[in-house]
Amino acid sequence: MAFISPQTDLTQRLESYLSTFRSQYAPEKVYVQTDKPYYAPGQAVWLKGYVVDAATLRPSAKSQVLYVDLLNASNQPVHQLILKAENGKAAGDMLLPDSLPAGTYTLAAYTQWMRNFGDGTFFTKTLQVLGPSDNTATAKTTSATEKIDFQFFPEGGDMVQGLKNRIAFKATGTAGKGVAVSGSVFDDQGQKLLDFSDLHLGMGAFELQPEAGRNYIARVKTSDGKSVEYVLPKAKTTGYLLRVDETTGNNLEISIAGNVNQQEPLVLTGISQDALKYSQAVSLQPGQTYRQQVPKSEFSTGIVRFNLSRANGEPLAERLVFVDHQDDLNINLTTNKSTFEGRELVTLQLEAKDKNGQPVATDFSLAITDDELVKQSKNSLGIKSYLLLTSDLKGYVEQPGYYFENDNPQRKQALQYLLMTQGWRRFSWQAATSGSFPSIQYPAEQDLTIKGKLVTKKDKPVANGEALLYLQGQHQAFITTETNRQGEFSFRGFDFTGDVDMVVQGTDARGRRKHLQVVMEEDSFIPKVATSNPFQAEALLPDARQDFLQASRQQQFASSNFNQAYTLRGILLPEVDIKGEKDVYVPFTLHREADVVIKGKDLTVAPSGNILESLQGRVAGVQIYRSGQNQFRARIRGQQTPPLYLVDGVPVSEGTLSMLSQFDINRVEILKDAASAAIYGGRASGGVIAIFTDHGGEEETEVEPGTYIIVHQAKGYNKVREFYSPRYEEPGEGSNEPDLRTTIYWNPSVKTDANGKATVTFYTADRSTTYRAIAEGVSDEGKPGSGTLTFQVSSKKLNP
């Protein structure tokens, strides 16, 4: 790495910490694109999640399970999704209930691994649900009643006496929105020192050289003409100032000044992508200013964190800067025409290129909406502004898209003020210098895991026991695992959609089951997220609101039938080892009460030695007939299929029964019909003949659910529906109904080829309006990008 001065103990500790942090902890970021910013009850929220490495923004290889929750204003879940992430991408949808109240909701997305770093790292996005009587989106707070929060942020962290300090400020009003302000700074003798005004969204800066023994106030004028006084923070008697100017040229202009009398060794570091990219030992003479130009090319696009500290790691000043090499993905959207008629076929091409104009093959999410009814917030959050900027900052960032809108001096200056007022949040400087790492409680999930605990009736953990899992109706396959010291067990490697009933049984280290309980772990986690600024649809006029709600009632939703017959092997990843009945010996019974129970001592001795012959004439409705030498078959009257045979709870073939010794039989239980045998699944449709041997353990009685053997409903990935888009080349029933779709087209995976191109087709609806297409994605090299296109529709069928 360039610009790394001779190694000090501090830089060695930092490099070691960051190397471990990147390789072993590697935080993740999640971004979610939705088709719209607001919805009506009964509509579907179509979404695409991106799971990336927090430092490089490359698709994460750590987590392959993504959780997406929709939370109401009371932080209670309205909808929860579990999605499979492949190559860092996951598609899903939420169908909002028809009865969902209008109001502000928060979409939260995260992985289990992200929980180790706190809920503040989760992706959150406000979604508004509109209703006929909902006024929240258009309500405005009058300036007369608005209270302003005005804060000062000295560059680097502190004001220092006798030195020229640059002090940023931020004025916010309702819901964290910036408020335009102007004002003046006065000393404690009433002398006016300077005037100031905000540059963008209530943020700006001024320079002040505080004197010893002096206090300072700012008189701030609000838009309603009122004046409010705010006290500036007290200046430190001695200290250092760190100043960075990054808005012009190809270099970062860094200066360090101090008023400390004695010379002491300092260290200036620059961290980018969780790696130490810059390090310089600084020896500052009293009264001198250290200046250094650092090429921006030494850092990747994104936030760079500069820290000034003493040689022992004691922090003195911190400054965040943003380096922008304009190297994100360039996504260009084009249509075959500029204006279309209603219900006309549109051909849209997406082309992706990198900074050098080379094609990029990856996949994007694409939403096309009616721009008159679906109003996008000004400079709203996008994949670039989130992954590169706001995900690393504390607090709410208003209009984040503005900082990526164009490349001009005012935007760069506004971005500088933003970074001077909102701090870093991924890891603390103190943690880095002391080598303190996050506590890992939640493993990264590569697949679905079934978890539980084996305890006694007195709730004491059963260590070194065994848990066995199989599916109802698929008794030929088992998985077994041991319990740990806390009695916990887990079955890993599952890959299935929907809910699946599984049977889980526990035994202790000596094979005993009595007085044991299997307790399955149900993930009831609900993220605690701060509601960000709600979408304010000021531009959505009442007539448009009514049109939007009417359109939602006309919206058609595709639904798919996901009835599936699972096998154990069918819901596991290929590398997971499963076992058959020859590998496992675990006696159990799941039925509560058999139709017929015959004790072994009451069975007659069969000349053939086959236990089935002993049942001849003993049970009404059960027919036994010879099928070969010493071979017999059973049929239960009224059933079309053979019964399921169980020996000590393990399914066996009919021929296996001839090898059983009649003198080892403890009892025989018979379930005659499919209803009473339903707990055993489809293979028991012909009834059940369950044989228990003396060496299978003590005599079984009724098994109570919730004890040592239970039926557990495991939650798999959520079913992902396919977005319904009508095809008017094939007129069908209902084709004369008005087509008022607000989301015209949604595709979570538009894949560009080796030439960086992809083509999609869809049909326009019936409104004369403007359509807006928004495509977002991130390349395998960690470069995010987005593209937008608007085009016109002039419909003769419907022109409201």
Side-chain angles (χ1 to χ4, degrees), residues 23 45 254 412 415 417 436 479 529 589 618 635 674 688 774:
S23 61
V45 179
I254 301 175
K412 292 180 178 180
L415 180 54
Y417 295 154
S436 175
I479 309 177
V529 297
T589 179
R618 296 298 311 274
R635 285 293 185 274
V688 175
I774 301 176

Side-chain angles (χ1 to χ4, degrees), residues 460-475:
K460 292 184 178 180
V462 178
N464 302 317
E466 184 179 72
L468 175 146
L469 179 148
Y470 70 95
L471 285 186
Q472 294 187 62
Q474 300 297 332
H475 303 279

Side-chain angles (χ1 to χ4, degrees), residues 559-590:
S559 60
S560 302
N561 187 353
F562 280 84
N563 291 332
Q564 300 182 37
Y566 288 110
T567 64
L568 186 56
R569 190 176 297 277
I571 68 171
L572 285 165
L573 297 173
E575 60 270 18
V576 178
D577 180 41
I578 64 176
K579 301 177 180 180
E581 71 264 15
K582 293 182 179 179
D583 302 311
V584 180
Y585 175 78
V586 184
F588 58 80
T589 179
L590 283 177

Side-chain angles (χ1 to χ4, degrees), residues 387-409:
L387 293 180
L388 292 172
L389 181 64
T390 64
S391 56
D392 284 331
L393 298 179
K394 294 178 181 177
Y396 167 67
V397 178
E398 185 180 1
Q399 297 186 22
Y402 168 78
Y403 304 104
F404 296 86
E405 191 176 42
N406 46 49
D407 193 23
N408 61 51

Side-chain angles (χ1 to χ4, degrees), residues 14 44 120 177 271 744-745:
L14 274 177
K177 300 185 73 173
I271 297 172
I744 309 302
Y745 183 78

Side-chain angles (χ1 to χ4, degrees), residues 141 146-150 171-179 398 533:
T141 306
E146 186 172 46
K147 292 184 178 180
I148 296 178
D149 179 33
F150 194 88
T172 55
T174 304
K177 300 185 73 173
V179 177
E398 185 180 1
N533 186 55

Side-chain angles (χ1 to χ4, degrees), residues 47-245:
L47 58 90
K48 168 75 170 290
Y50 295 86
V51 185
V52 300
D53 177 83
T56 65
L57 304 187
R58 290 186 170 95
S60 176
K62 187 176 289 290
S63 295
Q64 295 182 25
V65 183
L66 175 64
Y67 298 85
V68 183
D69 297 345
L70 185 65
L71 308 169
N72 63 19
S74 301
N75 208 76
Q76 295 301 310
V78 173
H79 211 307
Q80 294 182 296
L81 296 179
I82 305 175
L83 302 176
K84 183 176 183 178
E86 298 181 274
N87 193 33
K89 302 173 181 72
D93 62 273
M94 295 179 174
L95 185 59
L96 301 179
D98 292 331
S99 59
L100 188 65
T104 300
Y105 295 81
T106 300
L107 190 76
Y110 55 95
T111 64
Q112 288 291 335
W113 183 252
M114 291 172 69
R115 292 178 63 184
N116 295 304
F117 304 90
D119 295 14
T121 64
F122 296 176
F123 173 84
T124 60
K125 178 178 183 176
T126 296
L127 296 182
Q128 198 82 13
V129 175
L130 305 183
S133 60
D134 174 41
N135 298 316
T136 57
T138 55
K140 294 185 179 180
T141 306
T142 62
S143 59
T145 59
E146 186 172 46
K147 292 184 178 180
I148 296 178
D149 179 33
F150 194 88
Q151 297 184 60
F152 300 100
F153 300 88
E155 184 172 14
D158 295 300
M159 290 171 54
V160 180
Q161 293 177 5
L163 301 176
K164 183 173 285 189
N165 295 251
R166 182 162 58 179
I167 303 166
F169 62 84
K170 185 171 186 177
T172 55
T174 304
K177 300 185 73 173
V179 177
V181 293
S182 62
S184 305
V185 175
F186 297 83
D187 63 17
D188 51 10
Q189 295 180 342
Q191 182 178 352
K192 179 179 174 181
L193 303 179
L194 59 93
D195 295 320
F196 63 84
S197 62
D198 75 293
L199 175 72
H200 179 68
L201 299 177
M203 291 180 289
F206 56 81
E207 292 187 348
L208 175 68
Q209 185 167 321
E211 298 179 13
R214 288 274 185 259
N215 296 316
Y216 302 89
I217 62 169
R219 291 177 184 165
V220 180
K221 296 177 182 178
T222 61
S223 57
D224 61 358
K226 293 183 178 180
S227 180
V228 183
E229 290 189 355
Y230 298 89
V231 178
L232 270 70
K234 279 191 171 295
K236 294 177 63 176
T237 304
T238 60
Y240 295 94
L241 296 182
L242 170 64
R243 178 168 179 151
V244 184
D245 288 301

